[in-house]
Amino acid sequence: MTDTQQTAEYIARDERWGAHNYHPLPVVISEAEGAWVTDVDGRRYLDFLSGYSALNFGHRNRRLIDAAHQQLDRLTLTSRAFHNDQFGLFCEELADLTGTEMVLTMNTGAEAVESAIKIARKWAYEIKGVETDRAEIIVATHNFHGRTTTIISFSDDPAAHDNYGPFTPGFVTVPYGDASAVRAAIGPNTAAVLMEPIQGEAGVIVPPAGFWSDVRSACDENNVLLVADEIQSGLARTGTLFALDHEGVRADLYTLGKALGGGIIPVSAVVGRADVLGVLKPGQHGSTFGGYPVACAVGRAVVELLSTGEFQQRAKELGEHLHAGLRSLEGKGISAVRGRGLWAGVDIDPRAKTGREVSMLLRDRGVLCKETHERTLRMAPPLVIEREEIDQALAALAEALDE
Ligand SMILES: Cc1ncc(COP(=O)(O)O)c(C=O)c1O
């Protein structure tokens, strides 16, 4: 597919004026509906990435758009200096959905993770009795939790980490999926274990069965908090509300983001135990937009969509279909497929093509997804996608691998 003059001009403008912190596929989207996006030249593509799972309910989901419009027409921002009539309802409904006791609202995913780190440290000093400034948080190799200075301090991805020092201390890294390493790393100063239930950016890595229940036990035995970063894995993506639900494990704190704002506005939250979130007192943490009325109204509509279980069910059933289709391509240009629900990490056979090459060939066939690292495609279509559309994408992938 050759880029039109129009597409080329948009891309040239981005390159000239925007900081070069991304390497997008050369497609310029101007409209979207459900699982489909349309570019400036009128070409349509199936969205197989969903804004890294922010668009779980599809582009411009009617219920969410209506909720946003109605709120925009009434009240947008109060700041938390005053109460508003949406905040408490959002917190109550989200706590109810997630089976948790208290909610801290923020904006982006990274802010939710930052908040969870601050809360875990404060809890360690004020409740657990860890000596001041000695608290440790156990994290995993190949983690991805966002881009702030503290978070990238414990990233082992050179692109995310290098040349941003000096780094925030207080993190201990153990191999992802190794419960005995978690146990061995726990000491008297350990405040929390912070990990993704399934690692997204690392290539949709599912830890071994039993890992999470072992980590839960290790945390319980040592009075350590379990903090699950469900920003990408949560809110129906894997076929359950939380990815941890597959393991029958509950976290003490969950970080949520992405789909919590329905792909309309950034909404994030830390949800969990009231005795842990309760360490925050007035003035000790906050954000001007955290819990603003528009975020709460959209978040409430998201909670309502999730409360029926319909999206969880779709992700489960259609996910099985997607994974069966992907597995049938193993040995035909694909070396491994991982994931759960409508979420897949697809390793391209190193003798065949790079992830970028396959992404480009898919684009030419009307399917948009994106490589992570050199050789892995990350697939996460909106949960409103239909079975036939998945088949269409699988056929395009088979062709792309064959070319
Ligand atoms: C697991 C996880 N945590 C945190 C984040 C950061 O979210 P945001 O980009 O909204 O700051 C991401 C983003 O990809 C993520 O996948």
Side-chain angles (χ1 to χ4, degrees), residues 22 52 107-113 144-148 151 196-201 229-233 255 257-258 266 268 343 378:
Y22 279 90
Y52 300 107
N107 308 285
T108 63
E111 279 177 294
V113 175
F144 186 85
H145 298 282
R147 301 288 193 169
T148 62
I151 293 173
E196 301 153 84
I198 293 175
Q199 287 189 320
E201 188 76 15
D229 182 349
E230 294 261 10
I231 287 167
Q232 194 164 165
S233 59
T255 54
K258 295 191 192 282
S268 68
W343 200 19
R378 187 175 3 173

Side-chain angles (χ1 to χ4, degrees), residues 63-104:
R63 298 269 288 283
L64 304 183
I65 294 286
D66 285 349
H69 278 160
Q70 281 165 22
Q71 191 57 43
L72 285 169
D73 284 339
R74 283 199 315 118
L75 171 74
T76 57
L77 180 69
T78 52
S79 82
R80 295 287 305 285
F82 315 115
H83 294 274
N84 69 68
D85 63 0
Q86 294 298 305
F87 174 76
L89 288 168
F90 174 47
C91 293
E92 180 182 9
E93 289 159 10
L94 182 60
D96 195 41
L97 176 79
T98 55
T100 56
E101 297 169 338
M102 197 172 262
V103 172
L104 171 77

Side-chain angles (χ1 to χ4, degrees), residues 104 106 111 114-116 118-119 280-287:
L104 171 77
M106 298 298 286
E111 279 177 294
E114 282 278 341
S115 304
K118 287 172 73 176
I119 293 163
L280 294 179
K281 299 287 180 298
Q284 295 178 345
H285 189 60
S287 156

